[in-house]
Amino acid sequence: MAVTLLFPFVAIRVLGQEKESGALRLLVQLPYRPSTLIAAKFCAVLAAWFMVSIPALSALAVWAVLGGHLAAPETLNLILGHLLYGLLAGAIGLLAAVIADNSATAAIIALAVTIGSWVLDFTLAGRSGLSAWLVQLSLTQTLRPFEQGLLSAGLVLGIAAVIGGLAALTVVWLPPGTPVRTKVIRSVSCVLVVAVALTVAAQIRASVDRSEDRRNSFTSADESLLASLRRPLLIKVNLAAEDPRYVDLRRNVLAKLERVLPDVTVVLASERSNVPNRSDAYGQIEYVYGDRTDVSRSTSPREILPLLYALAGAQPPAPSVGEEYPGYPLVVSADAVLLWFFGGLPLLIVLAWRWIRRPPPDKGPLVHPGVKP
């Protein structure tokens, strides 16, 4: 929430003050390309993200010092997701600062984008069709796979494409002397390139489960057997997108099958769950593998996987032993840590503020003795 609501203001400040004071017109006259200037601003935004992430990163360090367990792949995957999310919010702020006349207008534009994405997420969640595609435009949707322990190649490519597109648009709109028509033409080209990149990213389904408890995957034996099934699998789900049963089915079965099976297609019925006098077929899930078909109402992999094996004529694998996630329970007192969060961090903020606000050092007179001005 802090990155979504407050971090764009940090990015806006990087360019907003220079634009309002007129220093930007002098800055673009230096022997540097606009892309170099924007790259320097992005480095400043990246440094700011690391600074605002100190409380969260210190919480991880404190947990490790207290004896808590941190799975390195899952933790690094989560940090990568928040890093990309922070750069995305910073790119929105930089572009808003360039296209707006002042920092206040830029802040309104940035908040309209960030809060507007939340509105999309809340109002269209659980819908199908065009609504489901619009929900994917929400900024919060970009973090959920990382929070669930998934590293999706398509998602990383899509976020990188959007960040690069926003940076390119910032470079296009940065020079004050360029005609507006030229900027618009270049902007259309940037948008088209980003749209193509997003289309390609949407077709990439490769992802890696970085969670230590493998909550996004079946057992190793089940995944090996499922990966050997070469015929296309068609799943017809006679449930509404907002139905809790479909949410469970998507999380427990469908998402995992899409990551393992080479050819799987899911067809979702358009009937809504609140429609009176629904047909008796509502709630049924039909599985079509080759020329064989079976129907079930279960959303549990314990019942669905044996059904799929029967359709494929395969023998279910033996139950895996030793794959149960034991967890790492820990009960420890962390009262002493409050001194860091309520004393050390505020003091660090005050010291950083004083260091930033200190007057520049006195370098003496600009004219040396004996030298005529």
Side-chain angles (χ1 to χ4, degrees):
M1 291 185 63
V3 172
T4 303
L5 297 178
L6 302 179
F7 194 69
F9 293 97
V10 178
I12 290 173
R13 185 181 177 86
V14 171
L15 275 175
Q17 286 188 335
E18 295 176 349
K19 189 173 183 179
E20 293 179 358
S21 63
L24 182 61
R25 293 183 176 273
L26 300 177
L27 192 63
V28 296
Q29 297 179 19
L30 295 176
Y32 302 107
R33 297 179 179 178
S35 57
T36 304
L37 298 177
I38 296 302
K41 299 300 182 182
F42 259 100
C43 291
V45 170
L46 180 61
W49 180 86
F50 277 106
M51 293 178 63
V52 300
S53 300
I54 289 177
L57 298 177
S58 64
L60 297 178
V62 167
W63 175 247
V65 170
L66 293 176
H69 174 75
L70 288 175
E74 188 172 359
T75 304
L76 293 177
N77 180 66
L78 181 62
I79 294 176
L80 172 63
H82 279 279
L83 172 61
L84 293 175
Y85 187 77
L87 291 178
L88 181 58
I92 293 173
L94 286 178
L95 179 59
V98 168
I99 63 178
D101 295 333
N102 50 64
S103 298
T105 306
I108 294 175
I109 295 174
L111 287 178
V113 174
T114 55
I115 298 180
S117 67
W118 280 0
V119 173
L120 283 177
D121 196 7
F122 291 142
T123 58
L124 301 180
R127 305 287 182 88
S128 58
L130 179 60
S131 299
W133 182 82
L134 291 175
V135 168
Q136 296 179 359
L137 300 179
S138 172
L139 295 179
T140 54
Q141 293 288 336
T142 61
L143 267 181
R144 288 181 180 175
F146 295 100
E147 294 172 343
Q148 296 169 356
L150 279 175
L151 178 59
S152 173
L155 179 60
V156 173
L157 176 61
I159 298 176
V162 174
I163 294 175
L166 293 175
L169 290 175
T170 306
V171 172
V172 168
W173 287 88
L174 177 66
T178 306
V180 176
R181 181 180 178 180
T182 304
K183 293 181 179 180
V184 171
I185 295 175
R186 294 176 180 176
S187 299
V188 172
S189 302
C190 293
V191 172
L192 291 178
V193 171
V194 173
V196 172
L198 290 178
T199 304
V200 173
Q203 305 302 318
I204 300 177
R205 296 172 52 184
S207 61
V208 181
D209 187 3
R210 309 306 295 173
S211 60
E212 190 176 17
D213 59 354
R214 293 179 57 83
R215 57 183 174 271
N216 304 299
S217 307
F218 298 120
T219 63
S220 301
D222 285 320
E223 288 193 340
S224 299
L225 182 54
L226 289 171
S228 64
L229 304 181
R230 296 303 176 186
R231 290 187 178 182
L233 173 65
L234 175 62
I235 303 176
K236 300 178 182 179
V237 183
N238 196 6
L239 288 170
E242 67 272 12
D243 195 308
R245 288 174 292 177
Y246 174 73
V247 176
D248 292 339
L249 181 68
R250 163 60 58 181
R251 180 177 62 250
N252 298 327
V253 179
L254 298 182
K256 298 177 182 180
L257 287 176
E258 290 174 346
R259 295 181 54 247
V260 178
L261 287 176
D263 189 359
V264 57
T265 304
V266 179
V267 178
L268 180 63
S270 59
E271 185 177 7
R272 299 182 62 85
S273 61
N274 56 358
V275 176
N277 301 324
R278 295 192 303 262
S279 61
D280 295 337
Y282 184 82
Q284 292 183 353
I285 306 165
E286 182 180 2
Y287 300 89
V288 180
Y289 183 78
D291 55 352
R292 297 184 177 182
T293 304
D294 203 345
V295 177
S296 173
R297 291 180 179 268
S298 175
T299 60
S300 172
R302 294 182 179 180
E303 300 183 23
I304 295 176
L305 290 182
L307 182 150
L308 294 178
Y309 296 147
L311 291 177
Q315 185 67 24
S320 302
V321 180
E323 287 196 10
E324 293 292 335
Y325 180 68
Y328 299 88
L330 176 65
V331 179
V332 63
S333 176
D335 294 339
V337 182
L338 297 178
L339 295 176
W340 164 248
F341 286 102
F342 293 102
L345 277 177
L347 180 61
L348 184 63
I349 294 173
V350 172
L351 293 177
W353 176 79
R354 290 198 60 182
W355 182 78
I356 293 174
R357 301 294 295 179
R358 75 188 191 284
D362 187 6
K363 297 183 180 180
L366 297 179
V367 181
H368 295 282
V371 179
K372 295 182 179 181

